[in-house]
Amino acid sequence: LEVFRFRLMYRCLPTPRNIHVLNLHLPHRLFPGSRCPACTQGPGDEHHIICVCNRVHVERDLAMGRFTDRLARLMRDKLKIKTGRIQFGADSQRRLERALFPKSRGGFQYGAVPVQVREVLQAMARGLGKRAQLVDGMASGVRKLVLEMYHEVWTGYTVMASGREITMEHELKRRCDMTIAELKRDSQRLRREYGERMKQEKKTA
């Protein structure tokens, strides 16, 4: 999970966009236009895949359901609720989903916990007769649950991509007739040839 957290935070997951940008030295572009190969409706980046892509909406819904169950258990433990079950109402569910899976890229926190989540938990704590400040002691636990949820969505996307043959491995074979092993072996040569092509283009420009 720590590797995933690091890659998500620094936006370096092996998304179609990142694969495209990091392999410009190849003779043929991988994932041209950096579009999502699953739905072709948006950029193939972390935000689109985790929050928007309609090809992983089932995985997203399931991950959200597991997240709220785990969050309820965490609240029960941290707030020392002895009896009964903590349940999120429909309004709280909607607020959490909008905060954690925002439609706009600017609203996505890349693994950090949005402030709206804290507000929902504080309101629930008050409703349970507990001090809202107690929610602050749950911060690291909530952050871990958010990352687990995003990781589950990402895993669902990678499984789906493999099944539909739209992974980097398939794209590399389809466009360049190369394997991952051949790309690693010939990477230096390909980068050198790409640099020489760029020099020639500058001279002729």
Side-chain angles (χ1 to χ4, degrees):
L1 195 63
E2 276 302 300
V3 173
F4 175 78
R5 181 190 70 81
F6 179 87
R7 287 185 165 184
L8 178 61
M9 182 172 63
Y10 289 101
R11 308 183 194 189
C12 57
L13 284 169
T15 61
R17 181 188 179 281
N18 287 338
I19 290 169
H20 171 83
V21 171
L22 292 173
N23 290 282
L24 293 175
H25 60 286
L26 293 177
H28 301 285
R29 297 286 186 260
L30 303 185
F31 301 113
S34 304
R35 305 296 287 177
C36 173
C39 69
T40 70
Q41 300 298 310
D45 59 13
E46 290 86 355
H47 166 258
H48 173 82
I49 290 169
I50 291 173
C51 299
V52 180
C53 182
N54 57 30
R55 293 291 184 179
V56 287
H57 72 91
V58 173
E59 290 82 357
R60 193 177 297 119
D61 291 345
L62 289 172
M64 184 68 193
R66 288 189 290 265
F67 168 77
T68 52
D69 286 344
R70 293 165 185 158
L71 188 57
R73 288 197 295 271
L74 178 66
M75 285 192 74
R76 194 171 186 277
D77 180 52
K78 293 296 184 182
L79 299 181
K80 296 181 169 47
I81 305 295
K82 302 293 184 184
T83 59
R85 234 180 118 215
I86 293 177
Q87 289 185 309
F88 292 91
D91 183 60
S92 295
Q93 287 265 18
R94 282 193 296 270
R95 289 183 66 194
L96 287 173
E97 191 164 350
R98 283 197 299 266
L100 293 164
F101 297 110
K103 299 301 181 186
S104 69
R105 187 167 288 97
F108 189 45
Q109 300 297 306
Y110 295 91
V113 180
V115 66
Q116 297 94 323
V117 173
R118 183 167 173 268
E119 291 169 353
V120 168
L121 298 182
Q122 286 178 331
M124 289 190 68
R126 286 192 294 268
L128 293 164
K130 302 290 183 177
R131 289 185 297 113
Q133 289 84 350
L134 289 173
V135 168
D136 294 339
M138 297 167 48
S140 62
V142 175
R143 185 165 56 249
K144 184 184 179 202
L145 295 183
V146 169
L147 283 168
E148 286 176 350
M149 176 177 63
Y150 287 160
H151 186 256
E152 288 170 4
V153 177
W154 173 257
T155 300
Y157 168 81
T158 58
V159 170
M160 177 275 297
S162 179
R164 296 188 62 197
E165 299 188 352
I166 51 175
T167 64
M168 177 182 177
E169 182 180 5
H170 293 106
E171 183 77 351
L172 186 62
K173 186 66 178 174
R174 188 161 42 239
R175 296 191 179 277
C176 302
D177 195 26
M178 294 176 68
T179 64
I180 298 289
E182 288 170 338
L183 174 61
K184 289 179 178 177
R185 184 193 67 201
D186 298 336
S187 183
Q188 285 189 334
R189 176 180 61 81
L190 291 166
R191 290 182 187 280
R192 187 170 61 251
E193 290 174 355
Y194 176 71
E196 290 169 358
R197 286 200 305 273
M198 291 298 99
K199 285 180 185 176
Q200 285 297 113
E201 286 182 13
K202 285 181 180 178
K203 286 179 182 177
T204 58

